[in-house]
Every structure is written in C-alpha cells, then in structure tokens.
Amino acid sequence: MTRTGLCIGDEAPDFTLRDQFGQDVRLSDFRGRKAVALMFFPFAFTGVCTGEMSGVRDRLDEFLSFDTEVLALSCDPVYALRHFAETEGLNFPLLSDFWPHGAVASAYEVFDHVKGAPRRSSYVVDRDGRLRWSVHNANPDGRDLDEHLRELHAAVS
C-alpha cells in the first residue's frame, strides 16, 4: 500500500511558485505570520475543481484574514490559471506547479504520475511552518470547506 501525503507535525516543504499573474509566491514568506491552507486541485475548468474554487471564492472572507491565507495549486500553466481565475472570478492565489512538472505536488506526496496532476488533497500549515492537518479526497469527491475552515482557524488558535 502506498502512503499518501506527509505526516502531521512534519515541516512543510518550502516552495516558490508563480501565481496566475506571474508573481512568485513563497510558502516560507508566511512563516511566523499566517497559517496557510494548501489546496491541491487536479485541473482548472473541470466540474469538481471549478465548484471547489468557486466555493472558496464565495467564502474568501472566511479563508483570508490577518492570520490565515489560502493557496490553490495545480499543474496547469500560469496562463491557463489566469484565464480560469478571470472566468470564475477567483481572486486568491492560484499557483502553477507546471515546471518542473508536479515538483511541489511530488514533495507533498500527492502527485498522480498516471494523470500528470495533483490528487485532490489539502494541507494546513501552521505559522511555524509545520503541517497541522491534511485530507486526501478521491478525485470525484469535492472537499468539505467547513472542515477546511475549522482546521485552518484551529491552526492559529
């Protein structure tokens, strides 16, 4: 049996990825300041992913605060993520793990080598840069955003 994901309490692997605007976003820049929800999603413009990201958009004021941040990661290229964000009105960071293809998803042990995309997985990274919580959904199963919000806010309590 293959283990999926890293262990709670591990230091979160640091990364720098470009967002939908081509700006670098570095996970370690949030250390000491914010807890971060990392939401890996397989593909932009697909039914479940669009629904999930739209759900985050609709509840963005709950995900983003002085103490919390949300970062969505896929292996789609920056330009596809930009179009996805514009089409769906997504005004939070969508990060491209396009090249080297899936390197960050692989570091988090959620890259599906057969599909060439991340699995539908989430982590909460606390302010100390440690993995506080994780969940790994089957690709057809959407995430429970209430659960994500509870765990994200618990990481700063």
Side-chain angles (χ1 to χ4, degrees):
M1 182 168 159
T2 305
R3 181 174 75 110
T4 300
L6 303 174
C7 293
I8 300 307
D10 286 353
E11 185 171 336
D14 195 19
F15 60 81
T16 301
L17 292 175
R18 293 200 174 205
D19 69 10
Q20 68 266 38
F21 303 109
Q23 300 298 310
D24 285 345
V25 175
R26 180 175 293 111
L27 180 62
S28 59
D29 286 347
F30 298 101
R31 186 170 288 164
R33 299 184 314 110
K34 292 186 176 195
V36 180
L38 301 177
M39 299 178 76
F40 290 90
F41 66 100
F43 301 106
F45 295 108
T46 57
V48 176
C49 296
T50 298
E52 287 181 327
M53 295 302 113
S54 295
V56 172
R57 175 201 64 213
D58 294 346
R59 300 178 73 178
L60 197 56
D61 62 329
E62 296 174 72
F63 276 96
L64 300 182
S65 73
F66 290 111
D67 298 320
T68 58
E69 182 70 45
V70 62
L71 303 174
L73 302 87
S74 81
C75 291
D76 293 299
V78 168
Y79 303 106
L81 292 176
R82 175 86 180 250
H83 186 62
F84 184 45
E86 289 173 354
T87 301
E88 300 301 326
L90 307 176
N91 53 349
F92 54 93
L94 304 179
L95 306 182
S96 176
D97 192 14
F98 183 72
W99 197 256
H101 195 73
V104 173
S106 293
Y108 280 81
E109 298 182 7
V110 298
F111 187 70
D112 183 329
H113 292 276
V114 173
K115 294 182 178 178
R119 293 179 183 90
R120 191 173 311 285
S121 295
S122 300
Y123 288 94
V124 168
V125 180
D126 68 19
R127 285 188 259 194
D128 295 326
R130 300 233 165 251
L131 299 171
R132 174 82 178 242
W133 174 80
S134 68
V135 65
H136 308 283
N137 293 40
N139 275 352
D141 299 333
R143 291 170 235 253
D144 179 341
L145 295 183
D146 289 329
E147 180 182 28
H148 280 66
L149 285 165
R150 273 192 308 275
E151 296 298 334
L152 178 61
H153 292 287
V156 294
S157 298

